Amino acid sequence: WRRAPARATVEERLRGYAATGAREALRRMDAANRDRQFEAYIGAMVAGASLDTVQVEGVTDPEAEMVFRYTFSAPGVANVSRGRLVFDGIFHAEAARTYAELPERTVPLWNGDPVRATLDLRVTLPDGAQLEDLPSPAEGEAPGVRWPLRWERTPEGFHHVRQVNVPTGRVSVGDYGVFAASVRALDTADTNRVVARLR
């Protein structure tokens, strides 16, 4: 295997509690610290990523969305092996780590921070690369969680959309098993590989 470099342009929008927390943190930072924090944030999600540019909106208006527009470069977003480019995904949900670490519960699971998150990812493949079969659409729904994922071909490569909705509330002890199974299925579907043949 060898690693394939990439450059990404990201627009990230935060609302509600997430926006409030980010706004308060950014108000305490100067530009240099902000850039260092962003690079650490991106590096935690994408190995070896380095920040190129960042712009932030919504810091002064407490009712506005927080909007982050940034670009980064990374040395190994995909793998190359035997004439194929293998993309394992990026910005994974990793929901089980937050919501379903335990095999079972004896008390209800309380979620006080609602999640309504959408990943809208467009990938441009290298010149001459040809997609093989894309993963099939997937979805899950259980008490306390709902999620769909889909992939589609585009002239440049492919388009992937993931939506995750975890509302505020309790997941009962009786419902936790199906909730946890759905969350783990989300993580599995979220790491389905996309493969392209290289010419």
Side-chain angles (χ1 to χ4, degrees):
W1 293 88
R2 62 183 177 88
R3 303 292 282 173
R7 190 168 188 268
T9 300
V10 180
E11 181 177 281
E12 187 172 344
R13 293 179 175 268
L14 302 180
R15 303 178 181 91
Y17 295 126
T20 300
R23 184 177 293 112
E24 290 304 313
L26 285 170
R27 283 175 175 171
R28 295 191 294 267
M29 293 182 198
D30 58 23
N33 281 328
R34 181 198 65 186
D35 290 358
R36 283 195 293 270
Q37 289 293 326
F38 256 89
E39 190 148 59
Y41 168 65
I42 297 163
M45 294 186 292
V46 182
S50 58
L51 183 69
D52 297 326
T53 65
V54 60
Q55 295 177 324
V56 182
E57 297 176 7
V59 177
T60 58
D61 185 350
E63 297 184 354
E65 290 183 327
M66 287 294 299
V67 182
F68 306 98
R69 295 184 178 90
Y70 53 94
T71 61
F72 68 87
S73 302
V77 170
N79 292 311
V80 178
S81 177
R82 298 179 181 178
R84 280 176 165 77
L85 182 70
V86 181
F87 180 73
D88 291 315
I90 196 170
F91 301 130
H92 294 129
E94 297 182 338
R97 185 171 62 180
T98 301
Y99 299 107
E101 280 192 319
L102 299 176
E104 58 184 23
R105 294 183 67 91
T106 57
V107 296
L109 171 69
W110 168 250
N111 176 39
D113 189 5
V115 174
R116 194 172 181 182
T118 298
L119 173 71
D120 191 320
L121 177 68
R122 294 182 180 273
V123 175
T124 299
L125 294 172
D127 290 342
Q130 183 175 355
L131 276 178
E132 296 187 350
D133 292 337
L134 285 172
S136 298
E139 60 182 347
E141 186 168 359
V145 63
R146 179 170 53 82
W147 56 269
L149 284 78
R150 62 180 173 84
W151 293 260
E152 62 183 6
R153 295 173 185 268
T154 66
E156 299 80 20
F158 65 92
H159 181 205
H160 171 50
V161 177
R162 180 190 72 217
Q163 296 171 304
V164 181
N165 184 15
V166 183
T168 299
R170 287 182 173 84
V171 177
S172 70
V173 172
D175 287 337
Y176 177 76
V178 292
F179 168 85
S182 184
V183 167
R184 293 174 188 134
L186 162 63
D187 286 354
T188 299
D190 195 38
T191 53
N192 280 333
R193 289 178 165 181
V194 175
V195 180
R197 293 192 301 274
L198 298 174
R199 297 177 182 174

